[in-house]
């Protein structure tokens, strides 16, 4: 018999607000190295503490749907979902069941160069739980990320293969990053996914029993889990047994899943409207305010770099491929007002250094002040520093920070424009190349570059070619 897979996803994305969802603790976008440093009596739900919705979360959320052009519910509200688990200090999660922030939507994705549209059942806001780490017989409860804001996107069962799932998730990830609502980095737990899988014979139109694998946190784990679960279910169906509707735990070290709990004895979450929070009612004024803060999409930025800054296509593509990089470029440009040089110093010198470096992986981690780099560019522009020496200065900044001026002075790198020395060099070059000088005097103007080249060579590329040009013109007439 031929079977087909049916897959539905529940995607959790950590919203990148500065503070948590209902208190003013730092929203730890990555888990801090010390457990329980970003907590307070509110997110620990001590007696008499009350939650207060963070407006930035709502703003980021609105920016997201404005960019994605989905239809939003201007009124939504929170529900309380009660269950006990040690990662949940208050024994309930604040989520949205009955009136989520978005119903019904779809995302367009290219799969094998064909456009496909995948339906979204709904999207809602909820708070994250803490993290439990098990070490032997002990368990560490770390509540740093407890009450961090999450956006959950629940799809319809609309994926027929794992490739569609991958393309969909990658597209979502790109959209989150473009909207600047989340870095959606799977390794840092900012994007997690529950995968629901069922199998049915090809002739069937109804959906068959499914299983759910929770909190998969890498693309490859999702890939493997779907494969393994589909094979397991086919084996069961081939024996004419039925699939238990259950939650399974995926072990990504052994590549096998095991029963966690059956859906039949699913908990009663006792959902009820959250009594301590008002509904969210978005007024037009707030939406307008969000519209003004709408970030530029990567494609718009690329066009701006091409048209306004006259960068080349591949340079514009490279700089806009990563928001940190384009931010860095624009910051540098603010100081230098020189798009071409700013771009080339970043893309050729800095990125090469970063590529080689073991501890610095992005422009965000650079330890020197951006003004120091701007200074290097300014000196090159004013012929006070040769481009060869500028590389040396940047390398020094990169490795040992410091100040541009001090590095230049200490290493004696300032372009020497001392006329007397320069004239001696020019005279020497003229003397040693009398044949070419004759040629030039007989009208071969093209040979002029040769003299400049020779002067630069004699001076070991330390000096300013423009000044050589002037002296040569004077001397050769
Ligand atoms: P639960 O609370 O059990 O997780 P939800 O309705 O919240 O139930 O989640 C349903 C998820 O499972 C959705 O992502 C949906 O697309 C998916 N799903 C539902 N039925 C099937 C099925 N037969 N096969 C695969 N996925 C399914
Ligand atoms: Mg589920
Ligand atoms: Zn707190």
């Amino acid at each position: 018999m031929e079977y087909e897979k049916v897959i539905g996803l529940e995607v959790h994305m950590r919203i990148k607000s500065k503070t948590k969802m209902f208190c003013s603790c730092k929203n730890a976008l990555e888990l801090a190295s010390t457990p329980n440093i970003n907590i307070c009596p509110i997110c620990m739900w001590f007696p008499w503490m009350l939650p207060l919705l963070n407006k930035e979360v709502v703003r980021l959320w609105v920016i997201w749907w404005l960019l994605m052009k989905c239809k939003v519910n201007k009124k939504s509200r929170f529900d309380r979902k009660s269950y006990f688990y040690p990662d949940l200090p208050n024994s309930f999660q604040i989520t949205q069941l009955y009136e989520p922030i978005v119903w019904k939507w779809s995302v367009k994705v290219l799969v094998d160069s064909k456009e496909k549209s995948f339906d979204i059942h709904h999207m809602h806001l909820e708070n994250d739980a803490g993290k439990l780490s098990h070490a032997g017989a002990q368990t560490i409860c770390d509540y740093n990320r407890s009450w961090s804001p999450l956006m959950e996107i629940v799809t319809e069962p609309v994926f027929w293969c794992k490739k569609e799932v991958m393309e969909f998730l990658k597209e979502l990830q790109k959209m989150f990053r473009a909207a600047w609502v989340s870095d959606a980095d799977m390794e840092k737990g900012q994007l997690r996914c529950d995968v629901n899988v069922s199998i049915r014979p090809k002739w069937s139109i109804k959906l068959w029993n499914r299983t759910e694998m929770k909190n998969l946190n890498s693309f490859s784990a999702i890939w493997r889990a779907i494969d393994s679960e589909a094979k397991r279910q086919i084996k069961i169906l081939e024996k004419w047994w039925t699939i238990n509707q259950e939650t399974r735990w995926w072990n990504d070290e052994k590549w096998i899943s095991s029963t966690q709990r059956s859906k039949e004895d699913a908990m009663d979450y006792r959902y009820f409207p959250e009594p301590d929070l008002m509904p969210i009612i978005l007024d037009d004024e707030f939406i307008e305010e969000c519209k003004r803060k709408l970030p530029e999409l990567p494609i718009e930025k690329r066009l701006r770099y091409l048209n306004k800054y006259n960068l080349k296509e591949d340079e514009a593509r490279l700089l806009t491929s990563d928001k940190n990089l384009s931010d860095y470029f624009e910051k540098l440009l603010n100081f230098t007002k020189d798009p071409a040089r700013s771009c080339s110093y970043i893309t050729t010198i800095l990125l090469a250094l970063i590529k080689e470096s073991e501890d610095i992986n992005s422009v965000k981690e650079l330890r020197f002040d951006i003004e120091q780099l701007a200074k290097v560019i300014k000196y090159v522009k004013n012929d006070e520093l040769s481009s060869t020496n500028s590389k040396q200065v940047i390398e020094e900044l990169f490795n040992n920070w410091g100040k541009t001026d001090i590095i230049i002075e200490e290493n004696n790198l300032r372009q020497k424009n001392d006329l007397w020395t320069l004239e001696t060099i020019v005279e020497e070059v003229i003397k040693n190349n009398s044949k070419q000088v004759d040629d030039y005097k007989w009208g071969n103007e093209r040979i002029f570059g040769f003299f400049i080249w020779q002067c630069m060579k004699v001076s070991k590329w330390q000096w300013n070619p423009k000044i050589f040009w002037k002296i040569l013109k004077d001397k050769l007439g």
Side-chain angles (χ1 to χ4, degrees):
M1 182 142 38
E2 263 198 278
Y3 295 97
E4 71 182 1
K5 294 185 193 95
V6 181
I7 305 158
L9 303 174
E10 290 156 80
V11 182
H12 296 94
M13 186 273 294
R14 172 101 35 95
I15 296 180
K16 203 167 144 178
S17 55
K18 285 189 193 67
T19 52
K20 289 186 182 180
M21 195 157 171
F22 302 115
C23 67
S24 54
C25 286
K26 192 167 168 250
N27 179 16
L29 294 169
E30 298 167 37
L31 226 42
S33 46
T34 319
N36 300 316
I37 51 169
N38 298 319
I39 57 174
C40 74
I42 302 179
C43 56
M44 290 294 97
W45 204 248
F46 285 2
W48 302 292
M49 292 298 140
L50 286 172
L52 183 68
L53 178 62
N54 178 352
K55 200 168 172 184
E56 194 198 358
V57 171
V58 182
R59 190 174 58 78
L60 285 171
W61 153 255
V62 172
I63 285 177
W64 155 258
W65 67 253
L66 280 173
L67 266 180
M68 298 310 128
K69 302 183 173 62
C70 40
K71 200 167 170 313
V72 77
N73 298 323
K74 284 194 178 170
K75 173 171 178 261
S76 65
R77 64 179 168 83
F78 291 102
D79 299 295
R80 192 178 278 198
K81 175 183 181 182
S82 308
Y83 63 96
F84 172 76
Y85 205 66
D87 64 1
L88 209 59
N90 44 352
S91 286
F92 62 82
Q93 186 186 28
I94 298 179
T95 178
Q96 300 185 305
L97 178 73
Y98 300 109
E99 290 183 56
I101 208 146
V102 164
W103 288 117
K104 303 292 169 201
W105 179 51
S106 65
V107 178
K108 287 200 180 70
V109 180
L110 281 181
V111 183
D112 288 333
S113 340
K114 273 197 218 91
E115 191 180 291
K116 287 200 166 182
S117 178
F118 296 108
D119 291 337
I120 306 290
H121 179 270
H122 79 272
M123 287 197 259
H124 69 251
L125 298 172
E126 65 184 23
N127 68 283
D128 206 349
K131 187 177 166 64
L132 304 181
S133 325
H134 308 282
Q138 288 181 324
T139 295
I140 298 168
C141 303
D142 176 4
Y143 297 111
N144 279 338
R145 69 171 195 201
S146 138
W147 283 40
S148 282
L150 293 179
M151 187 193 302
E152 177 167 346
I153 302 180
V154 180
T155 75
E156 299 286 359
V158 282
F159 305 95
W160 313 119
C161 65
K162 52 191 182 188
K163 192 159 190 190
E164 291 180 345
V165 170
M166 291 301 136
E167 297 295 342
F168 171 82
L169 285 173
K170 285 189 182 146
E171 191 62 33
L172 267 191
Q173 191 178 42
K174 263 192 246 162
M175 288 154 89
F176 290 139
R177 289 178 179 169
W180 206 225
V181 293
S182 175
D183 292 340
D185 198 328
M186 281 201 141
E187 265 129 58
K188 293 178 182 157
Q190 296 159 351
L191 187 68
R192 304 193 302 259
C193 199
D194 301 350
V195 181
N196 295 271
V197 180
S198 67
I199 291 291
R200 64 180 174 191
K202 274 239 154 112
W203 45 261
S204 170
I205 43 166
K206 83 177 207 347
L207 292 170
W208 287 38
N209 278 0
R210 62 166 162 133
T211 61
E212 178 184 30
M213 286 171 289
K214 277 199 175 296
N215 276 333
L216 298 174
N217 55 8
S218 77
F219 285 117
S220 53
I222 293 170
W223 185 268
R224 287 190 283 269
I226 292 175
D227 242 358
S228 146
E229 181 54 17
K231 282 196 190 118
R232 191 189 67 88
Q233 290 189 15
I234 289 175
K235 264 194 204 148
I236 296 174
L237 291 181
E238 278 178 342
K239 291 184 193 148
W240 296 96
W241 295 348
T242 45
I243 308 291
N244 271 339
Q245 192 115 320
E246 63 185 1
T247 302
R248 297 183 66 84
W249 181 71
W250 173 248
N251 181 335
D252 200 43
E253 271 147 33
K254 298 191 180 147
W255 295 15
I256 46 168
S257 64
S258 49
T259 304
Q260 203 171 21
R261 62 167 187 266
S262 160
K263 292 264 173 199
E264 262 97 77
D265 45 64
M267 265 174 278
D268 174 8
Y269 292 125
R270 286 174 48 234
Y271 277 105
F272 62 89
E274 171 57 53
D276 290 331
L277 284 161
M278 303 287 280
I280 305 177
I281 296 174
L282 298 169
D283 60 28
D284 293 337
E285 201 180 318
F286 183 71
I287 295 175
E288 279 309 310
E289 187 194 314
C290 292
K291 272 190 190 158
R292 284 193 292 276
K293 288 187 183 139
L294 229 49
E296 200 174 23
L297 280 173
I299 176 81
E300 293 164 354
K301 187 179 285 175
R302 214 156 79 213
L303 288 172
R304 182 161 61 88
Y305 283 16
L306 287 174
N307 303 330
K308 189 168 164 206
Y309 301 144
N310 282 323
L311 300 183
K312 292 193 201 84
E313 174 72 41
D314 53 344
E315 293 171 333
R317 193 181 291 273
L318 178 60
L319 287 178
T320 55
S321 65
D322 168 359
K323 171 109 167 69
N324 288 325
L325 202 57
S326 55
D327 281 354
Y328 192 84
F329 166 71
E330 290 185 25
K331 214 162 146 195
L332 185 60
L333 188 58
N334 248 339
F335 287 111
T336 64
K337 313 277 180 248
D338 185 334
R341 280 198 179 87
S342 302
C343 167
S344 95
Y345 273 88
I346 292 175
T347 56
T348 60
I349 304 181
L350 270 189
L351 288 186
L353 287 170
I354 289 172
K355 204 169 160 201
E356 275 170 28
S357 165
E358 279 174 9
D359 52 337
I360 294 179
N361 303 307
S362 89
V363 285
K364 235 172 121 180
E365 294 162 28
L366 292 172
R367 287 167 299 195
F368 60 90
D369 209 10
I370 197 163
E371 283 185 73
Q372 302 304 320
L373 177 59
K375 242 183 195 167
V376 173
I377 295 174
K378 186 182 114 193
Y379 289 152
V380 172
K381 206 167 155 180
N382 298 343
D383 296 321
E384 290 172 65
L385 187 65
S386 70
S387 56
T388 322
N389 288 344
S390 71
K391 272 187 208 144
Q392 192 183 332
V393 178
I394 293 171
E395 260 175 45
E396 185 64 25
L397 283 174
F398 188 88
N399 293 319
N400 305 316
W401 345 3
K403 296 254 186 289
T404 298
D405 286 324
I406 297 174
I407 297 170
I408 292 178
E409 290 321 319
E410 277 181 351
N411 297 287
N412 206 14
L413 297 177
R414 203 168 291 279
Q415 183 125 276
K416 302 183 188 83
N417 292 328
D418 146 14
L419 259 176
W420 187 79
T421 329
L422 290 165
E423 281 190 0
T424 337
I425 292 175
V426 172
E427 273 159 18
E428 199 188 315
V429 166
I430 291 177
K431 204 174 87 202
N432 292 341
N433 297 287
S434 49
K435 196 184 153 297
Q436 284 84 348
V437 173
D438 279 350
D439 261 14
Y440 179 78
K441 291 199 167 152
W442 281 101
N444 181 3
E445 302 240 341
R446 276 162 52 207
I447 209 161
F448 196 76
F450 166 81
F451 297 121
I452 294 183
W453 176 264
Q454 289 299 317
C455 292
M456 292 297 289
K457 206 164 118 188
V458 173
S459 67
K460 299 204 172 61
W461 316 100
Q462 291 262 335
W463 310 60
N464 187 342
K466 282 189 204 154
I467 298 210
F468 280 129
W469 189 90
K470 252 198 203 139
I471 305 174
L472 275 162
K473 277 273 176 212
D474 274 356
K475 297 227 181 262
L476 293 172

